[in-house]
Amino acid sequence: MNGFTRRQALITAAAAVAAPALIIPKFARAAEFNLKFGTNLPANHPLNIRATEAAERILKDTGGQVQINVFPNNQLGNDADMLSQLRAGAIDFFTVSGVNVLSQMVPVSSMYGLGFAFSSEDKVHEALDGDLGKYLRDKFTKVGLMAMDKIWSSGFRQITNSVRPITTPDDLKNMKIRVPVSPLWTSLFQHLGAAPASINFAEVYSSLQTKVVDGQENPLSIISIAKLYEVQKYCSMTNHMWDGYWCMSSIKAWNRLPEKVRPVVAQHMNRSGLDVRADVAKLNASLNGDLQAKGMVFNTPDPAPFRAMLSKSGFYAEWRKKYGDEAWAMLEKYTGKLG
């Protein structure tokens, strides 16, 4: 399968729901190992396209021994369901954010999403391909999980709203903003003076449309796919938080694979992880103009006042205490001093 096109990546969520129940590798035939790979993203998102490519390469390079079927768009359940299934052995692979549901099991996993910590994608990848990533992956083994070496990028998140551009932290004061169900997200926006509300993503569009909340935050790709530009006027390129997906298996499921097969699977999963990074970066870079053409008003605020406010409010001190000094020192190796 060739790389994704922007048209494919921007297919609407509604169209994705109508997609087949699973994505079957084109070389599929009877295999000794039939494995399930669950994701929470639409079928034509780059992550699912690259996961399917990995499955095709794995099937070919194992001589048909290992077949991986990709189930996109929460078809195997929500994130909490799939993480439970992964640990129980009901599914074999799952791409999961460290900032969201995984952090409930391994609190330090959310560290890479710390607000206004990283200055660039390159710094994030340097950290997660280096000491910080190894540190986090070692923590996952304590709960029976293992992650591939390369994290699959979702990219930096931006703030949209229907009230005003966000140029300084004062513009967020008392603003009702939707955030995912995650302590780190809630804490970040509370410390910035906003009024965060944890709402499941399926309800975001209607919540914005009916003014239950004024705004939300997501990467540009999701803002476009979910058509949030229809109910949001302003998009502030805050880069306030980076997020990505660990491609995970349970240690038990991984060890059931023949020893000679495991490096083949890991090699192709990691290759697709790197491909997703490039895909998402290219997609997000192209979407600014597209969303402006759809009526969104963009601005790019200086991150320094936001970071200063988080330092003054005690946000960084609070999360340093939660993560511990060892992890914090490893983080600051890549971010510079925080707080």
Side-chain angles (χ1 to χ4, degrees), residues 67-84:
Q67 177 179 324
I68 300 173
N69 296 318
V70 180
F71 292 79
N73 211 41
N74 289 118
Q75 289 168 3
L76 299 180
N78 62 31
D79 284 0
D81 293 335
M82 285 192 281
L83 187 56
S84 294

Side-chain angles (χ1 to χ4, degrees), residues 6-22:
R6 188 152 63 90
R7 179 178 175 277
Q8 288 175 310
L10 297 182
I11 190 168
T12 64
V17 171
L22 54 86

Side-chain angles (χ1 to χ4, degrees), residues 55-74:
E56 291 170 353
R57 294 193 302 264
I58 290 164
L59 187 65
K60 182 178 180 181
D61 286 358
T62 61
Q65 189 177 12
V66 178
Q67 177 179 324
I68 300 173
N69 296 318
V70 180
F71 292 79
N73 211 41
N74 289 118

Side-chain angles (χ1 to χ4, degrees), residues 228-242:
L228 300 185
Y229 53 82
E230 295 179 346
V231 289
Q232 298 278 267
K233 180 175 181 180
Y234 301 103
C235 183
S236 300
M237 299 293 289
T238 49
N239 284 355
H240 58 274
M241 176 186 286
W242 187 92

Side-chain angles (χ1 to χ4, degrees), residues 271-297:
R271 173 180 163 184
S272 281
L274 293 176
D275 288 340
V276 168
R277 293 183 189 181
D279 293 344
V280 168
K282 183 178 179 181
L283 179 59
N284 283 335
S286 73
L287 281 172
N288 192 303
D290 284 356
L291 291 170
Q292 285 189 59
K294 290 180 169 69
M296 293 201 86
V297 177

Side-chain angles (χ1 to χ4, degrees), residues 89-105:
I91 64 176
D92 306 282
F93 295 97
F94 174 36
T95 43
V96 57
S97 165
V99 185
N100 203 342
V101 64
L102 187 60
S103 68
Q104 297 172 25
M105 186 178 300

Side-chain angles (χ1 to χ4, degrees), residues 148-159:
M148 299 297 161
D149 290 345
K150 304 298 182 182
I151 196 166
W152 301 34
S153 177
S154 179
F156 280 110
R157 301 172 76 93
Q158 319 301 344
I159 298 174

